[in-house]
């Protein structure tokens, strides 16, 4: 018992009305747990297979039946608790009417005792007059248990705090309270036991419902994956069609008479470009030996002279498409500056030799540059209605597009295979969960059903 004041002093013999009330409550409590009403039979579907939606409906019926059975078990305890609370209220009224009898030496505690009595009476009246929830569902039963627990906690607090006053000045009422609190405590234990049994009984229903929720989530995920797979399959079909069309276009282009000439012309242009690159490399090598002379000579010259010096240092092949005579004269001026000592350089003789070699090579290099430029211009000129040069370029564009589409196609096929594997795994998981539900329903109903999606 949580009520500490009863241990301080033996309670006096309770009044007959209290005894009969406690006995009635105890008898009602015992009978409610001894003769528990059976759960109403759940109507079973006639088929040997059940869809997921049917299983949910069946579980709802089973849970409703268990909830009604729980309510039937708890209702007598609720009625017994209500009767016991009536007695608690009567005890509070009796305590309120009774005046404390204080001996001469006890009068100095009179004020404290009166305050304690008023507190106890107020608490007993408040708690005993509160409505207990009617028990018709499992939720009602839980609310009733919580209300009874709160009430018993408050009774324990007030009786423990004022135990001295109750045991000393009001032992008769303390004894009656003890009986009623004991009855209420027994009822609370019984209700807790019933609810614990109910939770244990409904655990398979909860487990089945949780499994069904998992199945629903996985089925939704499978449907989403199926939609994604269809979208990927459509993209694969479209890519395959585009690749086939591109290859047909290539066949048509390469089968034309102009394509062979275009290929030859493209090959010639490529060869000329390679020669041009070699010519640029040779020019760069030739002029690189005098770069220090160009740098020193550039101090204090005009902007145009500085520009020409920079061209000969960085892109010397461009002088052949520009004013070559002007560049030749500038080379001569640099040569004179080095030769006269006006331009102080280490290895001046070597640089003078390179400058002389450059000036000597300019006419031949000009011819080479002019020939390359002329031949490139002739090869690049559009002919045959402007179709010949574009054919090779068109072929390269189509081939590049096909290569890109084939890479994308490979990625899409890989994505589709991954989606299929995921769907296979999820379907296998759903099948396993459906078997779990079948086992759970068999345990609840005694009949084996095949659960379908």
């Amino acid at each position: 018992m949580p009520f500490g004041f009863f241990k301080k002093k033996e309670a006096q013999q309770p009044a007959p009305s209290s005894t009969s009330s406690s006995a009635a409550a105890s008898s009602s409590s015992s009978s409610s747990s001894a003769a528990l009403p059976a759960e109403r039979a759940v109507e079973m579907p006639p088929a040997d297979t059940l869809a997921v939606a049917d299983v949910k409906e069946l579980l709802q019926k089973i849970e409703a039946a268990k909830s009604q059975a729980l309510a039937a078990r708890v209702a007598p305890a609720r009625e017994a608790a209500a009767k016991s609370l009536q007695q608690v209220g009567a005890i509070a009224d009796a305590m309120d009417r009774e005046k404390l009898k204080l001996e001469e030496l006890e009068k100095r505690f009179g004020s404290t005792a009166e305050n304690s009595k008023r507190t106890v009476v107020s608490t007993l009246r408040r708690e005993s007059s509160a409505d207990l929830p009617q028990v018709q569902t499992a939720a009602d039963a839980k609310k009733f248990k919580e209300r009874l627990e709160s009430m018993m906690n408050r009774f324990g607090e007030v009786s423990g705090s004022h135990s001295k006053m109750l045991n000393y000045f009001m032992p008769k009422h303390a004894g009656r309270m003890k009986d009623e609190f004991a009855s209420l405590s027994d009822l609370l234990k019984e209700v807790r036991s019933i609810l614990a049994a109910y939770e244990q009984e409904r655990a398979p229903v909860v487990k089945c419902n949780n499994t069904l929720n998992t199945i629903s989530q996985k089925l939704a995920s499978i449907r989403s994956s199926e939609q994604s797979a269809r979208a990927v399959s459509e993209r694969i079909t479209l890519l395959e069609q585009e690749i086939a069309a591109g290859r047909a276009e290539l066949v048509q282009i390469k089968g034309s008479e102009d394509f062979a000439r275009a290929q030859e012309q493209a090959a010639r242009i490529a060869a000329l470009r390679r020669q041009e690159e070699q010519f640029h490399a040779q020019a760069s090598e030739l002029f690189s030996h005098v770069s220090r002379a160009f740098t020193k000579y550039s101090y204090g010259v005009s902007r145009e002279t500085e520009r020409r010096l920079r061209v000969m240092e960085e892109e010397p092949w461009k002088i052949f498409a520009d004013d070559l005579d002007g560049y030749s004269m500038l080379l001569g001026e640099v040569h004179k500056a080095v030769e006269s000592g006006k331009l102080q350089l280490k290895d001046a003789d070597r640089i003078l030799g390179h400058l002389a070699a450059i000036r000597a090579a300019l006419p031949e290099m000009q011819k080479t540059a002019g020939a390359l430029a002329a031949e490139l211009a002739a090869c690049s000129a559009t002919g045959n209605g402007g179709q010949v040069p574009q054919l090779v370029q068109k072929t390269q564009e189509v081939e590049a597009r096909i290569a890109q589409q084939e890479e994308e196609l490979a990625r899409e096929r890989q994505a589709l295979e991954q989606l299929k594997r995921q769907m296979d795994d999820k379907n296998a998981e759903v099948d396993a969960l459906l078997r779990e539900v079948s086992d759970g329903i068999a345990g609840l109903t005694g009949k084996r059903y095949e659960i379908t999606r």
Side-chain angles (χ1 to χ4, degrees):
M1 287 292 295
F3 314 111
F5 72 89
F6 296 123
K7 296 181 180 179
K8 300 292 183 179
K9 183 177 179 181
E10 284 295 326
Q12 293 183 3
Q13 183 66 26
S17 61
S18 172
T19 304
S20 60
S21 171
S22 300
S26 176
S27 173
S28 173
S29 171
S30 300
S31 63
S32 66
S33 59
L36 300 179
E39 295 182 12
R40 190 175 62 186
V42 177
E43 184 179 352
M44 297 301 300
D48 293 329
T49 62
L50 289 177
V52 169
D54 297 329
V55 175
K56 291 182 179 180
E57 184 178 354
L58 175 60
L59 289 174
Q60 288 175 354
K61 292 179 179 179
I62 293 174
E63 181 133 24
K66 290 184 179 296
S67 178
Q68 291 176 1
L70 171 66
R73 296 174 190 175
V74 175
R78 188 265 178 200
E79 298 304 321
K83 292 179 181 179
S84 187
L85 288 175
Q86 289 178 356
Q87 293 301 318
V88 171
I91 293 171
D93 293 339
M95 290 177 63
D96 191 28
R97 289 192 299 269
E98 182 175 332
K99 293 184 178 181
L100 297 179
K101 297 178 182 180
L102 303 174
E103 301 292 339
E104 188 63 29
L105 294 176
E106 298 171 343
K107 289 182 178 179
R108 58 178 176 161
F109 301 112
S111 177
T112 302
E114 287 291 344
N115 289 336
S116 293
K117 186 183 85 167
R118 282 195 295 270
T119 300
V120 172
V121 169
S122 175
T123 300
L124 294 181
R125 280 177 172 171
R126 183 176 63 252
E127 296 298 329
S128 63
S129 62
D131 291 335
L132 293 175
Q134 292 293 334
V135 181
Q136 296 177 343
T137 65
D140 295 338
K142 292 176 182 178
K143 289 179 182 178
F144 168 66
K145 177 184 76 73
E146 292 168 359
R147 179 71 186 90
L148 196 56
E149 286 174 338
S150 173
M151 184 184 303
M152 297 306 293
N153 289 334
R154 187 63 186 136
F155 285 155
E157 289 172 2
V158 73
S159 63
S161 299
H162 303 279
S163 59
K164 290 183 179 180
M165 184 278 294
L166 290 168
N167 285 322
Y168 192 87
F169 294 106
M170 310 189 91
K172 178 182 68 174
H173 299 303
R176 294 177 61 194
M177 286 170 57
K178 176 181 178 181
D179 292 339
E180 297 304 333
F181 289 171
S183 297
L184 289 170
S185 180
D186 290 341
L187 289 172
L188 178 58
K189 289 179 183 178
E190 179 184 356
V191 171
R192 285 172 174 168
S193 176
I194 293 172
L195 281 169
Y198 165 74
E199 293 297 338
Q200 186 175 0
E201 290 173 4
R202 72 184 288 264
V205 178
V206 174
K207 182 179 179 182
C208 279
N209 274 318
N210 291 338
T211 305
L212 288 175
N213 290 335
T214 302
I215 290 172
S216 297
Q217 293 170 2
K218 288 186 179 296
L219 289 176
S221 178
I222 290 171
R223 288 192 294 271
S224 176
S225 296
E226 288 173 345
Q227 292 177 353
S228 298
R230 284 194 293 271
V232 172
S233 296
E234 290 174 0
R235 291 198 295 271
I236 287 174
T237 300
L238 181 60
L239 284 169
E240 289 174 343
Q241 293 172 350
E242 291 176 347
I243 290 171
R247 288 173 177 168
E249 185 178 3
L250 280 178
V251 171
Q252 184 179 5
I253 293 174
K254 292 181 178 181
S256 67
E257 296 180 357
D258 292 334
F259 181 72
R261 290 195 298 272
Q263 275 190 313
E264 292 176 2
Q265 197 167 23
R268 180 57 183 161
I269 291 173
L272 290 172
R273 292 297 183 192
R274 288 193 295 272
Q275 293 178 27
E276 187 179 51
E277 290 174 1
Q278 292 175 359
F279 176 74
H280 292 174
Q282 291 170 1
S284 296
E285 173 66 18
L286 184 62
F287 279 78
S288 66
H289 298 296
V290 295
S291 61
R292 285 192 297 113
F294 292 156
T295 302
K296 276 203 168 185
Y297 190 82
S298 65
Y299 299 146
V301 298
S302 65
R303 286 187 177 181
E304 177 61 20
T305 300
E306 184 181 2
R307 183 191 69 80
R308 292 190 176 195
L309 288 168
R310 189 167 58 252
V311 170
M312 288 190 294
E313 185 176 357
E314 297 175 359
E315 298 174 308
W317 59 87
K318 288 186 176 181
I319 67 175
F320 303 107
D322 201 349
D323 179 15
L324 183 59
D325 291 339
Y327 283 101
S328 182
M329 289 176 61
L330 181 56
L331 284 169
E333 291 173 2
V334 174
H335 188 280
K336 287 178 183 179
V338 175
E339 188 176 34
S340 65
K342 183 178 179 180
L343 196 62
Q344 297 291 328
L345 292 171
K346 293 181 180 180
D347 300 330
D349 292 340
R350 183 177 64 81
I351 291 176
L352 288 172
H354 285 303
L355 287 169
I358 291 173
R359 295 177 68 189
L362 288 181
E364 187 63 29
M365 293 180 71
Q366 185 180 24
K367 290 180 182 179
T368 303
L372 283 172
E375 193 166 359
L376 278 170
C379 288
S380 300
T382 59
N384 192 21
Q387 296 302 310
V388 175
Q390 285 78 13
L391 285 177
V392 173
Q393 182 180 358
K394 179 67 174 178
T395 302
Q396 292 171 349
E397 291 174 355
V398 174
E399 288 174 342
R401 187 178 70 240
I402 290 174
Q404 182 180 0
Q405 290 169 341
E406 286 178 338
E407 290 179 2
E408 187 176 353
L409 178 62
R411 289 194 298 270
E412 295 291 358
R413 284 174 173 167
Q414 184 178 4
L416 182 59
E417 288 301 319
Q418 184 176 0
L419 282 171
K420 288 180 178 179
R421 286 195 297 271
Q422 291 174 352
M423 286 189 290
D424 289 342
D425 292 342
K426 290 175 184 176
N427 278 310
E429 292 172 1
V430 168
D431 290 340
L433 291 173
L434 290 173
R435 288 192 292 272
E436 286 184 19
V437 173
S438 178
D439 292 340
I441 294 299
L444 289 167
T445 65
K447 184 175 180 180
R448 175 71 61 177
Y449 290 92
E450 179 184 356
I451 312 301
T452 61
R453 304 185 183 193

